Amino acid sequence: VTGGNGVVFPGSAILVNTDSVAVSDNFLNGNAIGVTVGSTVTVGTTITGNCIEGNTTAGLLNGGGSAVDATGNWWGCAGGPGDRWSG
């Protein structure tokens, strides 16, 4: 999922349910969850270059058993995801 998508959805803006998916250059704001990685994913999810902020439950929910590369995103705060205080 690449390129300038502005996604607003009452659930998860993007649901990843297959291996080796790249999510990049999207605006994922105002959802319950920005990106959900499903339990069937075992390898290769990369989430980079996105603006993931203002989601009510989580910016990223990893329900899978593998590591997710979520570096290089804007989480709405200079301190990164979960740091509401550093602006």
Side-chain angles (χ1 to χ4, degrees), residues 8-75:
V8 177
F9 190 72
S12 184
I14 296 177
L15 173 61
V16 177
N17 266 334
T18 60
D19 291 341
S20 303
V21 170
V23 177
S24 62
D25 301 322
N26 297 287
F27 297 93
L28 308 173
N29 311 81
N31 306 285
I33 302 167
V35 180
T36 298
V37 178
S39 61
T40 59
V41 177
T42 59
V43 67
T45 302
T46 305
I47 302 166
T48 59
N50 300 284
C51 176
I52 305 172
E53 64 176 333
N55 298 290
T56 58
T57 302
L60 170 63
L61 177 63
N62 184 5
S66 67
V68 173
D69 177 0
T71 57
N73 295 293
W74 173 249
W75 300 97

